[in-house]
Amino acid sequence: ELALIVGVTWLIARPLLNFDPALRLPGNEYQPHVGVIAPFIQALKSGTEFPLWNSTAGTGRSLIADPFLFVFNPFLSLPMLLWGVINGSKVAVALNFLVAGLGAWAMGRLLGFQTITRLWCSLMYMLSGAIVSHLPVGQIQLSFALGWLPWSVASILWAGQSRSYTALVLAGLAQAMFFFAGNLYYQVYGLACILIMVVISVVEWRATPGVNMAAGLRYTSAGLLAVGFIALQLFPQLASRGSIRNDGGFAPDVEVEGSQKPVDALLNYVVSDHDFYITPLLGKAPYIQESYRYVGISPFIFGLFLIPAFRRGRRKEIVAFGLSFLLMLAWTDVNHSFVKEIYRALPLLFQFRWPGRALSVGGLFLITL
């Protein structure tokens, strides 16, 4: 199974691995997105101090508090240290496909899926439009985060199932790798889904409803470990949150651009990129290209089997994953759904310009369902 995943990864990533240093990855946003790591690579190679504070920016903005920074994820930064930023970023992007495929496979294994099913989940997620769609414009951190999303979810599932300390530590590390992937879009969406999973897992719906305190303690321990691992970057970001401004952000009294009705948002899963651009009717519909997240029609067809699958031993997982998918769908309609109230309670969320990106996280749960 792993050999097949590695083989498919090689086929999909091979075109990226042209090590001509004059040929960089595409996208008008590639340079600013990858450039945040350049000072760290230069400092490490020259043996100077780690530049936590950027004195050349003019404003004294802390590099360590930059939401785009991904230097602390070794799967992303080490290739750039070894092969340079330009060629190393190609290796990191290629490696990210493997990380995504293995993560979705690990999720399937923890959920008890048989070979063909977990391989289908792995390859479907690895090759989905969500991971690929950010690369042509150079938004590599968003693609990196989607690679680590299934590991974040799988590790939480393992932490809930196992009583070993190893599961707790690895769950904390998986959340840290997810956080250190850079940018914060998918981390915020992923955290919301994980909270749903945790709540449903700890609540016992038996003859006498109650709370599974042991499971709750394991999840809390994993969460605290994760906060400890990411504190080096998290706390500077929290301290600098007042200075983090996205030029395309929105004020609380302004409608968020890109908000879509759920019916329209669903079509981003089933309309291919090719069809989107050649079909005149689609060009006039309210489908935002930024939300392109093609997975095809098969996950929806297989979803019909959720009815016989809804039985003892599966109900909590189906409900948790189903609610996570529906939350991501509601998030795309931020202007007219309850999610707008969450934004008003947490105004920093208005800096996230494209609510349709929630469909990327929803795609993982759709495929798994």
Side-chain angles (χ1 to χ4, degrees):
E1 294 177 53
L2 299 180
L4 178 60
I5 296 171
V6 171
V8 174
T9 300
W10 170 249
L11 290 176
I12 189 70
R14 188 177 178 184
L16 297 171
L17 299 177
N18 183 331
F19 287 97
D20 180 357
L23 184 65
R24 63 174 180 80
L25 292 174
N28 61 338
E29 295 187 30
Y30 168 78
Q31 187 168 339
H33 277 244
V34 78
V36 68
I37 202 172
F40 292 92
I41 299 298
Q42 292 169 1
L44 288 171
K45 286 189 172 182
S46 61
T48 58
E49 293 182 351
F50 214 53
L52 300 186
W53 194 266
N54 183 359
S55 58
T56 64
T59 59
R61 179 176 178 178
S62 173
L63 273 180
I64 206 74
D66 193 324
F68 289 93
L69 184 64
F70 55 92
V71 71
F72 297 117
N73 187 319
F75 294 88
L76 312 178
S77 56
L78 277 182
M80 300 187 199
L81 179 64
L82 295 174
W83 289 286
V85 174
I86 292 178
N87 283 335
S89 63
K90 300 171 188 176
V91 175
V93 169
L95 185 61
N96 188 60
F97 285 106
L98 180 61
V99 169
L102 292 177
W105 177 86
M107 273 186 65
R109 189 171 184 183
L110 282 166
L111 290 167
F113 294 170
Q114 297 302 308
T115 299
I116 188 66
T117 312
R118 59 180 177 245
L119 278 174
W120 183 86
C121 289
S122 169
L123 300 181
M124 177 66 75
Y125 182 70
M126 179 204 300
L127 305 176
S128 67
I131 295 176
V132 180
S133 63
H134 293 295
L135 298 179
V137 290
Q139 299 166 340
I140 61 172
Q141 285 95 333
L142 290 168
S143 187
F144 289 157
L146 289 174
W148 284 98
L149 171 65
W151 287 104
S152 171
V153 177
S155 67
I156 291 298
L157 291 173
W158 189 26
Q161 295 174 7
S162 173
R163 296 186 178 182
S164 72
Y165 291 113
T166 301
L168 294 180
V169 173
L170 291 181
L173 282 173
Q175 308 315 312
M177 294 299 99
F178 185 32
F179 178 83
F180 287 142
N183 214 318
L184 294 175
Y185 264 100
Y186 296 131
Q187 289 84 342
V188 170
Y189 302 145
L191 177 60
C193 295
I194 285 175
L195 289 176
I196 289 176
M197 294 168 54
V198 167
V199 169
I200 290 178
S201 177
V202 300
V203 173
E204 299 289 352
W205 300 105
R206 297 177 180 175
T208 305
V211 175
N212 186 332
M213 297 300 295
L217 183 60
R218 289 195 297 273
Y219 290 128
T220 302
S221 300
L224 290 174
L225 279 171
V227 172
F229 289 139
I230 67 176
L232 178 63
Q233 189 172 341
L234 173 65
F235 289 118
Q237 284 185 355
L238 292 175
S240 304
R241 65 187 181 278
S243 63
I244 297 176
R245 285 290 179 269
N246 189 330
D247 293 337
F250 299 92
D253 58 342
V254 176
E255 287 200 346
V256 177
E257 181 182 348
S259 177
Q260 306 171 71
K261 294 180 180 178
V263 173
D264 297 327
L266 281 172
L267 289 178
N268 286 284
Y269 288 124
V270 297
V271 177
S272 72
D273 193 40
H274 179 262
D275 292 337
F276 181 92
Y277 284 110
I278 68 171
T279 307
L281 179 61
L282 294 177
K284 298 177 182 177
Y287 317 133
I288 311 300
Q289 191 273 338
E290 174 67 34
S291 305
Y292 160 67
R293 301 294 179 262
Y294 182 67
V295 296
I297 197 68
S298 58
F300 293 94
I301 295 176
F302 294 149
L304 296 174
F305 292 98
L306 285 174
I307 298 172
F310 194 78
R311 59 183 185 272
R312 185 182 298 275
R314 287 291 189 194
R315 292 172 186 166
K316 281 192 172 185
E317 294 161 349
I318 292 175
V319 170
F321 280 40
L323 288 177
S324 296
F325 174 70
L326 291 176
L327 174 61
M328 295 298 98
L329 201 59
W331 208 303
T332 65
D333 192 22
V334 64
N335 285 336
H336 305 103
S337 71
F338 65 90
V339 178
K340 190 65 174 284
E341 300 305 317
I342 301 176
Y343 274 53
R344 286 172 177 155
L346 301 170
L348 184 63
L349 292 177
F350 281 102
Q351 298 297 314
F352 294 76
R353 296 178 297 165
W354 298 102
R357 287 177 177 169
L359 293 174
S360 299
V361 175
L364 174 65
F365 294 104
L366 172 64
I367 291 168
T368 310
L369 284 167

